[in-house]
Amino acid sequence: MKRSNFDNRFIRELPGDAGTGRTSQGVCWSAVVPTSVSRPFLLAYSPEVLDLLDLSEADARSPEFLQAFAGNRLLDGMASYATRYGGHQFGQWAGQLGDGRAIGLGEVINSKGERWELQLKGAGITPYSRRADGRAVLRSSLREFLCSEAMHHLGIPTTRALSLIATGDGVVRDMLYDGNPAVEPGAIVCRVSPSFTRFGHFEIFASRGEHELLQRLLNFTLSRDFPFIVGTDAERFATWFRLVCERTALLMVEWLRVGFVHGVMNTDNMSILGLTIDYGPYGWVDNFDPGWTPNTTDEQFHRYCFGQQSVVARWNLERLAEALLPVAPSRKMLDAGLAHFDGTFQAALSIMLAAKFGLLEWKEDDAALVETAFDLMQQAEVDMTEFFRQLAEVKQHAPTLETLRSAFYRVPLYESHAALFESWLVRYATRLGKQQDDDASRRVRMNKVNPRFVLRNYLAQEAIDAAMQEDLSKIEQLMQAARHPYDEDHPANLIAKRPDWALDKVGCSKLSCSS
Ligand code: AMP
Ligand code: MG
């Protein structure tokens, strides 16, 4: 296997504990060795991520690759560590958390000079594991692997996934938290990202009064992850925090665009780079519903439901701002960043919605038009993905509801809402008539922002069920489809609306945090 060029800045430049397992005062990381697994087996890899690391498919099939990314052996240049962070979980400060089952393997510099940090998820106990086992089950690892890559191909900022390896060892999980633990197959994903720094990395130092370390992490982040920001210290800080807010706002708009619900937007699951990070009980909206959450742990309050994500992101940024206060040149800079979040989100939301509906520009009255559509879609149980692809087919001069029929889940609802949708379509067509456009070019534009294929919850579950029977073909099919999500041509079963059987099936519309 080709030797990669490692340059492990995180552990070289930030203080850590090299061997005693200390996780408190003064450390940003603690050295840890992955725990060996008994029978590693490569289930999947991403050729695109191999490429980022200058590795070939032959490398991926080599014994060294398997051993390294199963956590059985470090490659030359790798160093293994777990990092220290805290976080607000479901609105409460949860104290110190840290990489309980993630183990960093170092930072690769590729031939283009890009830096990619490698991290195993599920490679065994770390000094931050608290009472948990440091492992991950196949179902959750497969979901993380597939979704990371699917998000990337949709054009949405995300951490990436290099490999998915079955460990051959069992992991005990009480999947439904109902007192019925069972042994499940374990697996390890190797995640890849320019940085795995989370809001919670800053929060832990602020909460413990470790202001010097907070300053060091800030300097490090600016230097390694935002090297293009220049100026005086104060200018750099202001620009940086503003950019973190901006990227987070843009990410929220992107999630809304494709119907993605993260499910656990705790501050420890928020990337300082504005990437989608930590795929747990995430889900994809089938029937449009802003109140929907896939996460059963959030069933009561719906804190992290689809339509709340931007509000929660803002709240999380406020927690980050509080943590940064001791090292901020002024509070004003933090307030300005947060205000920039609001402005960015509103502006980007309008642009995104205009594009989704095929409007060349966003006019004042468009908010009402779009809101009516969303209200109707929710009431009439309309599939979000199917709706927008079909809306692109509507003819401006001859709009008919028939075009949208395939997006409805229930015939009676279709019938009872038909008149309302028809009058909405007349408004929509009138609006289209006010722009210099034609059906064909609008269709092309809309199909570039409205995906044909998304990783629906039940599709991932089918791939899991098959993989449990040692059939990996579904993973491959989903990877293929995920590579060109906006194209029309996909196998019919991959772009079908959610089947009824999936409504109540565990893993398809409801997921627990157990992973
Ligand atoms: P999550 O809800 O997956 O974002 O995890 C929240 C915290 O719990 C993080 O500090 C994780 O590292 C830790 N954690 C979750 N699952 C495990 C596990 N199986 N073993 C050790 N730590 C875990
Ligand atoms: Mg997490």
Side-chain angles (χ1 to χ4, degrees):
M1 186 184 161
K2 190 171 170 284
R3 192 179 189 287
S4 300
N5 176 26
F6 280 91
D7 176 42
N8 306 330
R9 280 186 73 178
F10 192 91
I11 60 164
R12 191 172 69 234
E13 297 180 20
L14 290 169
D17 183 275
T20 63
R22 193 159 62 92
T23 58
S24 52
Q25 264 343 86
V27 307
C28 288
W29 54 271
S30 317
V32 59
V33 179
T35 307
S36 292
V37 302
S38 61
R39 278 179 300 115
F41 181 82
L42 181 66
L43 296 172
Y45 57 81
S46 161
E48 292 83 3
V49 179
L50 283 171
D51 224 34
L52 291 178
L53 302 174
D54 302 322
L55 296 174
S56 66
E57 301 208 19
D59 288 328
R61 295 180 183 282
S62 70
E64 294 98 305
F65 185 95
L66 182 65
Q67 295 302 330
F69 297 108
N72 283 359
R73 197 172 76 213
L74 297 185
L75 298 174
D76 275 355
M78 279 182 174
S80 53
Y81 50 92
T83 70
R84 181 176 169 220
Y85 61 78
H88 280 84
Q89 300 188 317
F90 296 93
Q92 306 291 329
W93 173 244
Q96 182 164 308
L97 304 164
D99 288 327
R101 56 167 167 178
I103 297 184
L105 294 179
E107 304 161 40
V108 171
I109 310 287
N110 72 10
S111 55
K112 292 186 193 142
E114 296 164 345
R115 178 177 300 270
W116 292 102
E117 194 168 352
L118 309 180
Q119 190 182 71
L120 300 182
K121 183 167 175 180
I125 286 178
T126 79
Y128 302 90
S129 295
R130 293 170 285 160
R131 266 172 303 182
D133 59 5
R135 291 295 183 190
V137 290
L138 173 61
R139 58 183 158 81
S140 72
S141 304
L142 180 47
R143 281 166 48 84
E144 171 140 19
F145 176 83
L146 284 176
C147 201
S148 311
E149 292 306 285
M151 288 293 262
H152 166 74
H153 293 297
L154 281 164
I156 301 180
T158 177
T159 60
R160 304 292 300 274
L162 170 66
S163 54
L164 172 69
I165 293 177
T167 59
D169 299 324
V171 175
V172 178
R173 289 287 182 272
D174 185 356
M175 182 163 69
L176 302 176
Y177 298 127
D178 60 359
N180 289 304
V183 179
E184 297 188 47
I188 298 174
V189 173
C190 178
R191 307 197 278 203
V192 175
S193 173
S195 166
F196 286 104
T197 302
R198 303 150 187 265
F199 291 7
H201 279 102
F202 294 90
E203 290 179 273
I204 189 67
F205 302 140
S207 86
R208 302 277 160 94
E210 296 171 74
H211 295 167
E212 194 200 317
L213 214 46
L214 182 62
Q215 183 70 57
R216 282 187 73 170
L217 178 64
L218 171 64
N219 295 350
F220 175 78
T221 301
L222 284 166
S223 157
R224 189 191 69 169
D225 298 338
F226 296 85
F228 50 89
I229 299 180
V230 293
T232 63
D233 285 354
E235 285 164 354
R236 285 170 78 207
F237 181 90
T239 307
W240 169 71
F241 186 67
R242 186 182 151 91
L243 187 56
V244 173
C245 292
E246 180 175 302
R247 286 186 181 175
T248 306
L250 295 176
L251 184 66
M252 294 308 109
V253 174
E254 285 292 82
W255 288 357
L256 286 174
R257 174 170 69 84
V258 297
F260 177 78
V261 189
H262 182 285
V264 206
M265 290 179 68
N266 294 331
T267 56
D268 51 302
N269 291 338
M270 298 289 292
S271 150
I272 204 71
L273 292 181
L275 308 173
T276 313
I277 191 172
D278 259 15
Y279 292 87
Y282 68 82
W284 294 83
V285 169
D286 292 311
N287 52 303
F288 182 83
D289 179 1
W292 182 68
T293 174
N295 183 356
T296 51
T297 311
D298 195 21
E299 228 160 25
Q300 198 180 357
F301 298 111
H302 288 234
R303 178 181 175 86
Y304 298 142
C305 67
F306 182 51
Q308 273 300 104
Q309 298 186 112
S310 64
V311 175
V312 171
R314 169 65 144 95
W315 191 89
N316 289 344
L317 283 162
E318 288 163 18
R319 304 291 77 74
L320 176 64
E322 272 167 15
L324 291 169
L325 202 52
V327 290
S330 76
R331 181 187 277 270
K332 265 219 275 286
M333 290 175 181
L334 296 168
D335 291 338
L338 293 171
H340 185 57
F341 173 93
D342 300 336
T344 304
F345 179 74
Q346 280 313 324
L349 182 66
S350 308
I351 291 170
M352 181 276 280
L353 289 174
K356 264 189 105 58
F357 282 83
L359 309 176
L360 287 166
E361 58 176 329
W362 183 254
K363 299 198 166 137
E364 221 180 281
D365 294 346
D366 292 337
L369 180 76
V370 162
E371 256 163 50
T372 307
F374 284 141
D375 279 350
L376 288 175
M377 285 167 75
Q378 186 179 354
Q379 289 167 33
E381 265 183 68
V382 169
D383 187 81
M384 180 175 173
T385 303
E386 181 73 9
F387 176 84
F388 283 103
R389 290 300 284 209
Q390 288 306 114
L391 192 63
E393 305 294 329
V394 166
K395 302 282 169 267
Q396 188 207 314
H397 294 294
T400 81
L401 187 53
E402 199 45 40
T403 318
L404 300 178
R405 192 184 183 110
S406 61
F408 287 75
Y409 275 97
R410 318 250 168 260
V411 175
L413 283 171
Y414 171 79
E415 284 164 359
S416 62
H417 286 86
L420 292 168
F421 267 98
E422 261 158 9
S423 66
W424 182 83
L425 269 180
V426 171
R427 273 169 74 190
Y428 179 60
T430 310
R431 171 65 180 85
L432 293 180
K434 292 188 183 142
Q435 60 187 24
Q436 287 290 325
D437 199 12
D438 58 78
D439 286 337
S441 39
R442 176 171 52 87
R443 178 177 183 276
V444 170
R445 284 198 322 274
M446 288 174 74
N447 286 350
K448 282 186 190 158
V449 294
N450 296 317
R452 171 70 285 187
F453 170 84
V454 294
L455 184 64
R456 291 178 189 269
N457 316 304
Y458 84 91
L459 293 174
Q461 187 57 40
E462 284 180 337
I464 292 165
D465 292 342
M468 299 281 270
Q469 307 299 317
E470 288 171 22
D471 169 6
L472 304 179
S473 61
K474 291 234 155 69
I475 302 178
E476 195 45 44
Q477 278 171 24
L478 292 175
M479 291 281 280
Q480 290 290 358
R483 286 196 178 97
H484 54 103
Y486 300 97
D487 290 354
E488 198 56 47
D489 60 316
H490 286 281
N493 61 317
L494 298 189
I495 53 172
K497 294 200 297 278
R498 175 201 59 222
D500 280 346
W501 60 257
L503 250 182
D504 299 311
K505 186 170 176 301
V506 174
C508 293
S509 55
K510 286 185 183 330
L511 292 131
S512 75
C513 283
S514 153
S515 58

